[in-house]
Amino acid sequence: MENTRMYADSLTAVPSPAPLPTDEPTPSAPTPTSAAPTAAAPASSRRRLLWHLGEMAVAMVAGMLLLGPLWELAGTALGVGDALARPEVAALVMATNMTVGMTVGMRYRAHRWHAVGEMAAAMYVPFLLLLVPFWAGLIDADALMLGGHLLMIPAMVLVALRHRHEASAPVRRNRVVVALAHRWPAGLALLMTVDMWFDPSVLSPWTMLVLPGGYLVIGVARRTLGGPGVLATQLAGLAIWVALTLVAVLAGGRTAAWLVAFGWLAHAGWDLAHRNGRVVPRGYAQFCVVLDVALAAVMVLAILTTDA
């Protein structure tokens, strides 16, 4: 994989992520006529591979969230909802949704079409292989879905390993597309709430514990809680939302619903305060602020449209 990619839309070099720090001794500087390999090169290559797989997973989820409701609407309008609900059809529809999202993501990242085609095959082939034992009655619908997804993971890894050293394809991107791509966490958060707008409901008060808990877990994993006052701030946030949760549980009814909606909305302010990336990645904070506001709005809609 090249260390630098040239994109036609910006005509600027985009360096690959810096290698991860290692405990190996720093090698002597190479002479101008030789390029000494560094111990960090394999780690950097693994990190790029994992990042690529992670991006594809997000793109696949986005494809399912965006296209899933459209299939349901089309099935109802055309009177083929029962046919789409059949396990083998549902599996192939899901593979199609994931493939569309993955294709958009890979093409944006300048992967060539033959690599995209092989990754698309990794989406479909596992389900196609399991259709035979499913039709023979050897496995049920749950095993078809679960087995297809489990087989898909090594298939994706193999394709990613096969093309990890290929040069990028020239891609010309519209400025609007580039701007939207930089805001993909916000877009993913909106996609996750699409279904809720059609059937609004109030979440359980206990879900508010996820809000401060996520920051603590990520902070521990990233080792970003060691700064002055950082851990104390996160623990204070945990105490606030635990108290709000307990009050909502004890209050119950409509009061609890309003407290839960307020708790999620208030956490959007917490997300904005953490957009500097010191505790959690900036993209995570961006995702959370949109998700928190959207869910709070859905819950307010549910409260207002429900009889007291």
Side-chain angles (χ1 to χ4, degrees), residues 116-153:
V116 175
E118 291 183 16
M119 194 62 73
M123 306 290 105
Y124 283 101
V125 170
F127 290 112
L128 294 175
L129 291 176
L130 293 176
L131 285 181
V132 176
F134 173 74
W135 286 331
L138 300 177
I139 60 175
D140 58 12
D142 292 337
L144 172 65
M145 284 292 186
L146 178 60
H149 284 89
L150 291 178
L151 292 175
M152 189 186 300
I153 296 173

Side-chain angles (χ1 to χ4, degrees), residues 218-284:
I218 294 176
V220 171
R222 298 182 73 212
R223 300 179 181 178
T224 54
L225 299 179
V230 175
L231 180 58
T233 301
Q234 298 306 313
L235 291 177
L238 177 64
I240 291 172
W241 268 277
V242 167
L244 188 61
T245 298
L246 294 177
V247 171
V249 170
L250 293 175
R254 202 173 182 85
T255 301
W258 280 112
L259 288 174
V260 174
F262 170 77
W264 279 83
L265 183 60
H267 197 263
W270 186 269
D271 298 325
L272 287 175
H274 287 80
R275 65 185 184 277
N276 54 18
R278 292 179 181 175
V279 178
V280 297
R282 181 181 177 87
Y284 178 83

Side-chain angles (χ1 to χ4, degrees), residues 37-183:
T38 63
S44 178
S45 179
R46 287 194 298 270
R47 185 174 68 172
R48 287 196 299 270
L49 176 63
L50 292 174
W51 183 262
H52 171 50
L53 292 171
E55 283 184 331
M56 285 194 301
V58 171
M60 290 158 57
V61 171
M64 289 189 292
L65 292 174
L66 180 62
L67 298 178
L70 298 181
W71 280 99
E72 293 181 7
L73 292 175
T76 302
L78 299 176
V80 294
D82 292 339
L84 293 176
R86 293 174 54 185
E88 60 268 44
V89 178
L92 295 179
V93 167
M94 181 178 294
T96 300
N97 295 343
M98 291 188 292
T99 299
V100 171
M102 176 272 304
T103 299
V104 173
M106 289 187 67
R107 285 301 296 169
Y108 181 83
R109 288 300 186 189
H111 292 277
R112 297 183 180 275
W113 277 112
H114 63 274
V116 175
E118 291 183 16
M119 194 62 73
M123 306 290 105
Y124 283 101
V125 170
F127 290 112
L128 294 175
L129 291 176
L130 293 176
L131 285 181
V132 176
F134 173 74
W135 286 331
L138 300 177
I139 60 175
D140 58 12
D142 292 337
L144 172 65
M145 284 292 186
L146 178 60
H149 284 89
L150 291 178
L151 292 175
M152 189 186 300
I153 296 173
M156 290 173 58
V157 173
L158 289 175
V159 174
L161 288 172
R162 168 176 158 77
H163 294 282
R164 68 187 184 279
H165 296 305
E166 286 190 355
S168 305
V171 176
R172 183 172 295 277
R173 305 184 186 122
N174 185 277
R175 292 182 181 274
V176 175
V177 174
V178 173
L180 291 175
H182 289 166
R183 300 291 184 270

Side-chain angles (χ1 to χ4, degrees), residues 12 191 204 221 273 280:
T12 58
L191 287 176
S204 166
V280 297

